[in-house]
Amino acid sequence: MTDVRDGTEVIRRLYEEPPEGFVATRAAAVEEARRGGDRETAKRLAALKKPTVAAWMVNLLALKRPELIGELVELATALRAAQRDLQGEQLRELSNQRRQFVSALVAAARKLAVAAGVPTGKLPLAEVEATLTAALAEPEIAEQVRTGRLIRAATYAGFGEVPRPRLRLVTGDADQDDLAEPGEPEEPDEQPESEVPRISARERAAAEQRRRERERKRRELDRELSVAMAAERRADDQLERAEAAERDAGHLVEDLDAELAELERRRTEAVADVARRKLARRTAERESAAARRRVGDVQAALDDLAAD
């Protein structure tokens, strides 16, 4: 059984292995975390998204060859500095370095992907090159590349603004149940004993009755509070299950979208391959027809020679 712990090693393995095994590995890790009672890790793992093949190749490069990504970030910084300072000669030199370095990174990513068992013909090298080139132009993309957790290929357009989390303000005020209702008068301060008027037996009985009524209401409210808190816990559990189901359904859609994109890419390559093979077939047909004509001509010449 895999040691899930805080999920760090599982996350690294998820983004190192080819995407085709991502969903099954993620589901197994989430289930193991839940069995171990680690809900936070289970949520963290369930929220992970399956990368495309191009994003996986860049992740593989960041995880297996982090020193190369570090050099990429340094080169990106130098390029931006040269552009700001308008150093033409240095900018041209750095641009040449950029092209050469990106080509070397793409080659390294291809080598790692092939070693992981993915055939070269299925590798979207152009998308990998576009992502690495974008990382040189955009600091945010470079930092995301460095994490090794990309889920989509990137272009110069970047990844967009990261949505900010909604925050819940927590104050130090007392709970609402402990606050007086609006308009409810405050209890008057006790009067000095010398100023307290003498109370009749009827008034004492009425005060005792009011005290008992308050105690009865308090006990009822305590019971209602216990019931309400139990209902809240059940509702929270139900909400958590519903959120997990919704998240799983969302992941399935994302996974299917990624698979459809990959299938569309392979279909485009297959259509192009069919066109090439059709052209080769037509060329072969012409060559075959020409060869048959030549055979006929030679055979006729032999027949004429034999008749003489």
Side-chain angles (χ1 to χ4, degrees):
M1 179 180 293
T2 305
D3 183 9
V4 173
R5 295 185 293 236
D6 62 350
T8 303
E9 290 302 318
V10 177
I11 293 173
R12 180 184 176 93
R13 190 175 77 248
L14 278 169
Y15 287 100
E16 277 186 355
E17 295 179 352
E20 60 193 28
F22 185 94
V23 175
T25 303
R26 182 185 63 198
V30 169
E31 180 61 26
E32 183 178 343
R34 286 174 177 167
R35 285 199 304 268
D38 191 347
R39 286 188 171 185
E40 291 302 318
T41 297
K43 285 183 178 180
R44 183 184 179 197
L45 295 174
L48 298 177
K49 297 181 180 180
K50 177 182 176 180
T52 62
V53 175
W56 165 70
M57 292 178 66
V58 176
N59 291 338
L60 200 59
L61 194 63
L63 295 171
K64 296 286 190 180
R65 299 293 304 275
E67 75 282 0
L68 295 180
I69 302 301
E71 292 179 20
L72 180 144
V73 174
E74 291 177 3
L75 179 57
T77 302
L79 275 170
R80 288 192 294 275
Q83 289 170 339
R84 284 195 302 269
D85 298 339
L86 299 178
Q87 299 171 3
E89 187 62 32
Q90 184 183 7
L91 183 58
R92 284 191 294 274
E93 176 63 25
L94 288 172
S95 297
N96 291 332
Q97 292 181 23
R98 178 187 63 188
R99 287 191 293 271
Q100 296 171 3
F101 189 56
V102 168
S103 297
L105 289 179
V106 172
R110 182 189 63 78
K111 183 177 180 181
L112 290 171
V114 171
V118 179
T120 303
K122 295 185 177 181
L123 299 178
L125 301 180
E127 295 179 37
V128 174
E129 181 179 358
T131 301
L132 295 171
T133 302
L136 285 171
E138 298 288 344
E140 295 83 1
I141 297 178
E143 288 304 317
Q144 292 192 38
V145 165
R146 177 176 266 175
T147 66
R149 296 184 186 179
L150 292 182
I151 59 173
R152 295 286 184 272
T155 63
Y156 280 112
F159 285 84
E161 185 176 356
V162 178
R164 298 182 179 181
R166 295 182 178 181
L167 301 179
R168 180 180 179 184
L169 180 63
V170 179
T171 67
D173 296 336
D175 293 339
Q176 187 65 30
D177 292 342
D178 295 334
L179 300 179
E181 293 293 332
E184 180 180 344
E186 296 182 358
E187 293 290 335
D189 295 335
E190 293 185 359
Q191 296 178 325
E193 185 176 354
S194 60
E195 299 178 6
V196 177
R198 302 182 64 178
I199 300 174
S200 67
R202 179 181 300 177
E203 290 173 334
R204 286 198 299 272
E208 179 65 18
Q209 180 64 27
R210 289 194 297 271
R211 184 189 68 77
R212 291 178 180 177
E213 183 65 19
R214 285 197 299 270
E215 286 298 321
R216 184 185 65 80
K217 287 184 177 180
R218 181 179 295 277
R219 287 194 295 271
E220 289 180 356
L221 290 173
D222 286 341
R223 287 193 295 270
E224 290 181 12
L225 178 61
S226 298
V227 172
M229 292 177 65
E232 181 185 26
R233 287 192 295 271
R234 290 193 298 271
D236 286 343
D237 291 340
Q238 185 177 0
L239 174 61
E240 183 177 338
R241 290 193 296 271
E243 288 176 342
E246 179 186 14
R247 192 164 50 243
D248 291 343
H251 285 322
L252 178 59
V253 172
E254 292 170 356
D255 295 341
L256 290 174
D257 285 342
E259 291 174 8
L260 284 173
E262 179 65 15
L263 288 173
E264 183 60 29
R265 184 185 67 81
R266 292 170 59 184
R267 179 184 178 278
T268 301
E269 292 178 353
V271 169
D273 188 52
V274 168
R276 288 193 298 269
R277 293 179 184 276
K278 183 180 293 186
L279 178 61
R281 189 257 302 165
R282 290 175 177 173
T283 301
E285 286 177 347
R286 288 195 297 270
E287 292 176 352
S288 177
R292 283 197 298 272
R293 287 194 300 271
R294 179 59 180 164
V295 168
D297 293 342
V298 173
Q299 187 63 49
L302 287 174
D303 291 343
D304 292 343
L305 183 62
D308 292 341

